[in-house]
Amino acid sequence: APTGSEAPSPPDSTQNQPGLRRELPFSGALALSVGIMAPTAALALNGAGAAANAGRAVPLVFLLGAIGVGFVSYAFIRMSRYVSHAGSMYGFTGVALGPRPALGVGWTLFGTYVMLAATGCAGAAVFVLNLFADIGILGGLGWIPVVIVVYLLAGTIGYGQMRRATRVLLVAEGISIVMVAILFVLIFAKLFAGTAPNH
């Protein structure tokens, strides 16, 4: 057996341990969560879409939706206490129900991420084209070139370290939230002053 300086060192208890590894600080995780939720896009797009079908019941629709999301988040919290897995619903389903259901959930989750990117870029194109129309430039521009530019921009920001992407998300969404808050103040000021459009 080796002796002295040749003796093997005791194994490091922190190596080869199963579990997740922290890649983002709390601010980065918060920025990623806020960026994926896109609260400013939800305010600008979801309310108008729901109002076309639900009318004045939009607050009730959003309340019911929040309750449903709360149940889903509670399920995530409970599962995270027992399962340490980066695969989201794929990992949870694999542990709880087995590999075959997890395969279906995994492909569904993949489709969700693909469609989330597509709808996010399409929503950005809507905002950009509305901005161009308001300031009177590039009137004949279609939405496909804008989507391609947004895809390339998002890919450039997201390529490499995740910390850089979360910083961009935090700054951009923070500016958006501040602007929406200012808009809310102006809307309520006009309502209380009786100077809102169409009385």
Side-chain angles (χ1 to χ4, degrees), residues 24 26-43 46 113 116-117 119-121 124 127 154 157 162 164-177:
L24 293 174
F26 175 77
S27 61
L30 179 65
L32 186 61
S33 301
V34 171
I36 289 176
M37 287 190 310
T40 48
L43 289 170
N46 294 355
Y113 289 147
L116 181 65
T119 54
C121 291
F127 287 131
I157 293 172
M162 195 62 190
R164 179 180 58 186
T166 54
R167 287 193 193 103
V168 173
L169 275 173
L170 191 60
V171 171
E173 204 60 51
I175 293 172
S176 300
I177 290 172

Side-chain angles (χ1 to χ4, degrees), residues 4 9 19 36 62 127 135 141 163 165 194 196:
S9 60
I36 289 176
F62 274 82
F127 287 131
I135 61 180
L141 184 64
R163 291 172 185 260

Side-chain angles (χ1 to χ4, degrees), residues 53-71:
N53 297 302
R56 294 186 177 184
V58 168
L60 177 62
V61 170
F62 274 82
L63 176 62
L64 295 175
I67 292 172
V69 170
F71 282 127

Side-chain angles (χ1 to χ4, degrees), residues 23-122:
E23 292 288 341
L24 293 174
F26 175 77
S27 61
L30 179 65
L32 186 61
S33 301
V34 171
I36 289 176
M37 287 190 310
T40 48
L43 289 170
L45 300 174
N46 294 355
N53 297 302
R56 294 186 177 184
V58 168
L60 177 62
V61 170
F62 274 82
L63 176 62
L64 295 175
I67 292 172
V69 170
F71 282 127
V72 173
S73 64
Y74 179 71
F76 267 83
I77 292 169
R78 295 289 292 179
M79 288 295 292
S80 297
R81 291 182 178 180
Y82 302 102
V83 181
S84 179
H85 199 286
S88 185
M89 289 305 298
Y90 167 75
F92 293 156
T93 306
V95 171
L97 301 177
R100 289 184 183 274
L103 180 64
V105 170
W107 277 108
T108 305
L109 192 62
F110 174 75
T112 301
Y113 289 147
V114 170
M115 293 308 298
L116 181 65
T119 54
C121 291

Side-chain angles (χ1 to χ4, degrees), residues 5 14-15 19 31 39 41-43 48 53 64 76 78 81 109 144 149 156 160-162 178-179 187-188 197:
S5 61
T14 61
Q15 291 181 351
L43 289 170
N53 297 302
L64 295 175
F76 267 83
R78 295 289 292 179
R81 291 182 178 180
L109 192 62
I144 293 180
V149 170
T156 302
Q161 289 190 353
M162 195 62 190
V178 169
M179 295 178 70
I187 289 172
F188 279 106

